[in-house]
Amino acid sequence: MANARGLWWTFKQAARAAEMHKAAGSAAGAEQIRLPERMHWPMSLSVEPTTACNLRCPECPSGLRSFTRPTGMLDPKRLSALLSGPEGLGRHLVYLNLYFQGEPYLHTGMDDLVAIGKKAGLYVSTSTNAHHIDAERAERITDSGIDRLIISIDGADQASYSAYRVGGQLQKVLDATGHLLAARRRKGGRTPHIVWQFLVVGTNEHQLPVMRDMARRWGVDEFVVKTAQLDEPHDGHALLTQDPRLRRYDRDPSGRWVLRNPMLDRCWRMWQGAVVTWDGQVVPCCFDKDAQHSMGRAEDGAAFRALWQAEPYRQFRASVFSHRAGIEMCRNCTEGTQVWA
């Protein structure tokens, strides 16, 4: 709890510094903003099991095979070195999300990665398209101790589902859900907490009520609606919803489609968490999908700690709190937007 209070204090002081910087009318840029010196370790970490994916979803670098960074699989030893040992992050973290890009259950050692997180005493989650979860795998997943399993299910029928999940089969998702629920019942446990996540787009928005009813009938623990991130929204875009409450974008006075975001010069993510790619690159948040803002490579907890407090990270935080709109990935971020993320 002391770390949580310290993180909140740091964020509030950083926000105050940004307001003072703006009020002063400084044109000198990020180097002049004075962020608080007090530093705390993150409470959550996303670590990428793999960049590989079996589907071809549009708007996704894994699906489009469009990465400029290396692709590959996480070595479990890297995760263990990050979390354990005298300089390990495990004693500060609360939450480990074994997901960034790609399909995590393509990693043959995914259950071993979960076990490493659980050994460190963390709440562990992941997100999956569920195409590689048969009855046997569902048993192993349940035994792994994973706390939260998010299953992407973006349509109530095959046509709507595959309009976005290109190459996917809805029946495989439903079968995987059934296997997981059955395995959990047999073991008499309460985990994993099973979430159906519905990415709402123009081709499936009409099915939202049906999907809510399906989630109730199937008995999943939670149903979540997620809006779509679009790189180039425009008139006639197939993924733009008609209902403005279900999309991140609206037209500005000039008629351009823009993100509905006040773009405040602040972001709690800069201290609350970070992302580590499969090959150890540390990036500031999950919107940096191609690791364009890599702060360096963390081979272990000590290396992560050094990067967390180093000048490049300090400069990036300062740029977020002085001119967030000047950072390309931030211009398509939901932070501060009143929509489902």
Side-chain angles (χ1 to χ4, degrees), residues 266-330:
R266 61 186 64 181
C267 183
W268 63 277
R269 298 171 189 252
M270 290 301 97
W271 288 277
Q272 185 271 342
V275 177
V276 180
T277 65
W278 71 271
D279 59 347
Q281 295 185 76
V282 177
V283 298
C285 85
C286 62
F287 278 84
D288 192 5
K289 297 176 182 179
D290 212 18
Q292 294 178 337
H293 297 280
S294 176
M295 300 298 159
R297 198 178 302 275
E299 298 295 343
D300 54 25
F304 180 95
R305 290 172 187 275
L307 294 173
W308 185 251
Q309 296 193 6
E311 185 62 15
Y313 222 138
R314 192 203 72 79
Q315 282 289 337
F316 186 82
R317 292 186 183 103
S319 67
V320 170
F321 279 76
S322 62
H323 185 46
R324 183 170 157 229
I327 304 170
E328 184 179 356
M329 72 171 184
C330 295

Side-chain angles (χ1 to χ4, degrees), residues 149-228:
L149 191 65
I150 300 170
I151 298 174
S152 297
I153 181 166
D154 307 328
D157 55 55
Q158 177 60 25
S160 293
Y161 174 81
S162 61
Y164 186 81
R165 299 287 166 183
V166 177
Q169 298 180 41
L170 175 61
Q171 191 58 50
K172 286 190 173 183
V173 182
L174 297 174
D175 289 345
T177 300
H179 293 320
L180 288 161
L181 290 170
R184 193 177 67 177
R185 283 195 299 271
R186 281 193 297 273
K187 297 175 188 303
R190 302 179 65 180
T191 57
H193 181 87
I194 297 173
V195 181
W196 268 6
Q197 181 173 273
F198 181 65
L199 182 72
V200 60
V201 292
T203 54
N204 67 12
E205 66 176 307
H206 64 289
Q207 292 188 332
L208 180 54
V210 177
M211 289 300 305
R212 291 190 188 280
D213 183 62
M214 278 182 63
R216 284 193 292 269
R217 286 189 286 107
W218 274 82
V220 296
D221 301 299
E222 191 176 346
F223 178 75
V224 173
V225 178
K226 183 178 180 180
T227 56

Side-chain angles (χ1 to χ4, degrees), residues 127-144:
S127 180
T128 176
N129 62 42
H131 278 60
H132 294 83
I133 302 177
D134 56 15
E136 181 183 352
R137 193 74 187 268
E139 293 284 339
R140 297 204 306 270
I141 289 171
T142 306
D143 287 339
S144 75

